[in-house]
Amino acid sequence: MRSLGRPLVSCRWRWDAVAVRAAYGRHAEGVGRGSLRHPQHAGCGQTVTSFGVPTSLYCGAGRAAVAVSKTPGQSSVSYDRRARGRCGLLAVAHRLCRRQIQCHRRPLSTKGRQMGELGMTIDGSSMWGRQTFGVVDPATGAVFAHAPVCTVEQLDQAMDAALRAFHEWRREDDVRRAALRECARVLLGALDELATTITAEQGKPRAASVAEVVAAVSWLRYYAELDIGREIVQDDRHGYADVVRRPLGVVAAITPWNFPVALAMWKLAPALRAGNTVVLKPSPYAPMSALMTGELLGRVLPAGVVNVVTGPDPLGDRIVTHPVPRMVSFTGSVVTGRRVAAAAAGGLKRMTLELGGNDPAVVLDDVDPEQVADDIFWAALADNGQRCMAAKRVYVARHRHDDLVEALAARARATRVGPGSQPSVQLGPLGNQLQVGRMAEYVRDALAHGAALAAGGTALDRPGYFYAPTVLAGATDGVRVVDEEQFGPVLPVIAYRDVDDAVNRANASDFGLTASVWSADLERANAVAARLDAGQVSVNAHAAGVRPDLPFGGHKCSGIGVENGVWGLHSFTDLQATVRPAPKRRRQTRTG
Ligand code: NAD
């Protein structure tokens, strides 16, 4: 350890090992404790750590960015002012060196920290596999980080750790509530770093990544505060009976690439609150933010409660068929969902399947197209349409068709597409190369079957996976982009004859995730909404009910079970009825 001055205070860092590992990944093994030192060099007067290279360190409850220079007097520490009261080390630093420490609001920097150094979280430790796989930045098409490939032995370790942790974790509800609040705090504390990572691996504009992390935090907070009561069925002189929810054990959580942090939290927050422990596997297209989430949560949760493993498939199948998990909570495509259901059936595991959608937006004939065009466009094209609950086909009265197409096409042409890291960008690249090929195929097929291109229709001529926002006019059923889930920025507009025709065509699908009805007349809209077969129906908005307190799940092939709300938490439990006799009453004895 390099000392740059006489120690004024030597402060053992409570979270030292974790903080160092977070900053250095696998290279951290063997790095010793940090100490707070008071430098004697003229003009310095800052806190110095002794790890030897400029870096960012998480520090206890707050965030500290510590830049260490080998030249005396050049080192500095800066930290988030909000952290001061909560972190012992920073409080001491501030008191002792208050005139010298530069103190300003600054988010934790990813500079100096290699994203590729993020390890899996297994049994409370950061772990690497024997191999890694490349993670591509869709804005450039180039590999920007490497993630570990989980070995069979490491998966066993993760499962064993989760099982061991379960027995203690299930005991105290108040402890779990407090832990979820802490999880929310550490995620929010790393907002910038997480958002940067999501944008780098998934492509979405930074503002959308920030919103995703904030949403993830709100899920944790919601489940921390949710009251879960026991239901008393009988309590009288004949006896007592109640029903409670018991945790299942280890939950296998498998997520897709479009919302790598938020969707992980849809699973983790209720599963943990209910008393389960978790092994999380993110998509190999977007593993880095989940690895980061694992490291962050590992600072506040007991070892083994949350484990994060990464690797290309067949890792997912190995997790589902592993004997330890009692439940599989899966989000992804219908095709994979079928495989998961078949594999989980062997172990009679509980499962929640949150699958794809092909969600209709039905625009009634009393709507002025120009008035709803903005909302419908973004309901369909936000995140490049790569949302399960995006509006994926628009049904409009025949006489309004051309006006609505033109209004949507105008918005498509005006949309700013580019790397998500650029502040002015509204749509980033598609999530991966496969997606670009799929969009081209959908457009080719639709044009061959009579649809017309109103806007877009091509990949952008630049590095990365960019595709122009596309609106197709005059689409019909029987065309692939209408019948299948396109999951991309190609929106078909379909003319209907009358409301019955619209409802029948909207329902003529194996999917049933979300739907929407647009009308100037709320009563009319409500009546149509009641006829649509979907897990969530919105009026004059689309997927407006994606919130922590409402159930989200698909009808038909869009899924089994629900997430979110108290109903989502119930999915992570089994019912247990307890029956006992009434306490014996003491006989009144008469005297005299
Ligand atoms: P996908 O089905 O290809 O992959 C999802 C996850 O499953 C990934 O982590 C993948 O590695 C894993 N996986 C692959 N094969 C597996 C197997 N045999 N067993 C277990 N796991 C396996 O989906 P994707 O392309 O990542 O995501 C897009 C799809 O997800 C779209 O269909 C979208 O609609 C859907 N989705 C649904 C919801 C919802 O809440 N209903 C939310 C987001 C996305």
Side-chain angles (χ1 to χ4, degrees), residues 69-335:
S69 165
K70 292 194 173 167
T71 315
Q74 297 297 308
S75 302
S76 68
V77 61
S78 57
Y79 59 88
D80 185 330
R81 193 186 285 274
R82 286 166 298 185
R84 207 168 73 209
R86 288 176 273 141
C87 170
L89 177 71
L90 291 179
V92 171
H94 191 83
R95 212 169 47 242
L96 295 175
C97 314
R98 81 182 151 266
R99 270 183 305 169
Q100 293 129 330
I101 291 177
Q102 273 186 316
C103 169
H104 50 103
R105 284 178 186 276
R106 203 180 92 162
L108 181 69
S109 162
T110 48
K111 275 187 215 133
R113 169 164 178 170
Q114 300 299 310
M115 262 183 223
E117 292 180 352
L118 287 163
M120 297 182 287
T121 297
I122 296 177
D123 201 7
S125 297
S126 189
M127 280 203 193
W128 280 78
R130 285 189 285 273
Q131 290 178 313
T132 61
F133 63 101
V135 184
V136 171
D137 176 351
T140 62
V143 170
F144 78 98
H146 287 85
V149 176
C150 183
T151 63
V152 173
E153 298 77 39
Q154 285 171 328
L155 181 59
D156 286 341
Q157 278 177 39
M159 293 295 179
D160 290 348
L163 195 53
R164 273 196 311 277
F166 172 62
H167 301 298
E168 188 58 36
W169 180 249
R170 66 178 299 179
R171 278 174 206 263
E172 296 285 342
D173 191 42
D174 282 347
V175 170
R176 297 198 298 273
R177 290 180 103 139
L180 287 195
R181 289 181 202 116
E182 281 296 283
C183 290
R185 194 180 53 72
V186 291
L187 282 202
L188 204 55
L191 176 67
D192 283 327
E193 207 179 14
L194 272 169
T196 302
T197 308
I198 294 172
T199 293
E201 66 184 356
Q202 199 275 348
K204 67 182 70 172
R206 197 185 151 71
S209 298
V210 168
E212 176 170 347
V213 178
V214 171
V217 167
S218 71
W219 254 253
L220 284 162
R221 287 182 174 154
Y222 168 78
Y223 279 108
E225 304 314 324
L226 184 68
D227 285 321
I228 314 160
R230 71 176 54 222
E231 214 172 304
I232 298 172
V233 177
Q234 182 189 7
D235 187 10
D236 55 27
R237 67 195 172 89
H238 301 295
Y240 175 89
D242 71 12
V243 179
V244 288
R245 299 264 165 190
R246 297 285 186 217
L248 299 167
V250 177
V251 170
I254 300 178
T255 51
W257 51 264
N258 58 339
F259 286 91
V261 175
L263 292 179
M265 231 42 69
W266 283 27
K267 302 179 184 312
L268 286 173
L272 296 180
R273 176 65 205 284
N276 304 280
T277 55
V278 179
V279 175
L280 167 70
K281 187 205 86 69
S283 164
Y285 286 116
M288 305 313 291
S289 53
L291 289 172
M292 194 175 279
T293 300
E295 286 199 353
L296 289 163
L297 300 189
R299 292 172 198 187
V300 292
L301 294 174
V305 168
V306 169
N307 305 271
V308 180
V309 296
T310 51
D313 294 303
L315 180 60
D317 185 53
R318 260 195 239 134
I319 290 174
V320 175
T321 51
H322 197 283
V324 166
R326 288 306 317 142
M327 178 184 179
V328 180
S329 176
F330 173 84
T331 303
S333 62
V334 171
V335 174

Side-chain angles (χ1 to χ4, degrees), residues 215 218-223 226 266 536 544-552 562-569:
S218 71
W219 254 253
L220 284 162
R221 287 182 174 154
Y222 168 78
Y223 279 108
L226 184 68
W266 283 27
Q536 245 188 41
V546 179
R547 343 188 296 208
D549 58 345
L550 281 181
F552 187 83
V562 296
E563 292 192 307
N564 305 341
V566 71
W567 309 272
L569 183 136

Side-chain angles (χ1 to χ4, degrees), residues 480-557:
R480 285 187 60 197
V481 73
V482 177
D483 293 353
E484 299 175 12
E485 181 190 36
Q486 71 273 45
F487 207 62
V490 176
L491 180 64
V493 182
I494 304 135
Y496 65 77
R497 202 178 50 246
D498 53 32
V499 171
D500 285 346
D501 183 36
V503 169
N504 290 340
R505 292 164 85 174
N507 284 340
S509 165
D510 284 341
F511 295 97
L513 195 58
T514 73
S516 58
V517 185
W518 304 74
S519 173
D521 178 342
L522 274 190
E523 245 176 67
R524 239 182 119 209
N526 290 342
V528 174
R531 295 172 64 191
L532 292 176
D533 194 358
Q536 245 188 41
V537 187
S538 306
V539 171
N540 290 340
H542 193 94
V546 179
R547 343 188 296 208
D549 58 345
L550 281 181
F552 187 83
H555 290 188
K556 300 187 268 185
C557 293

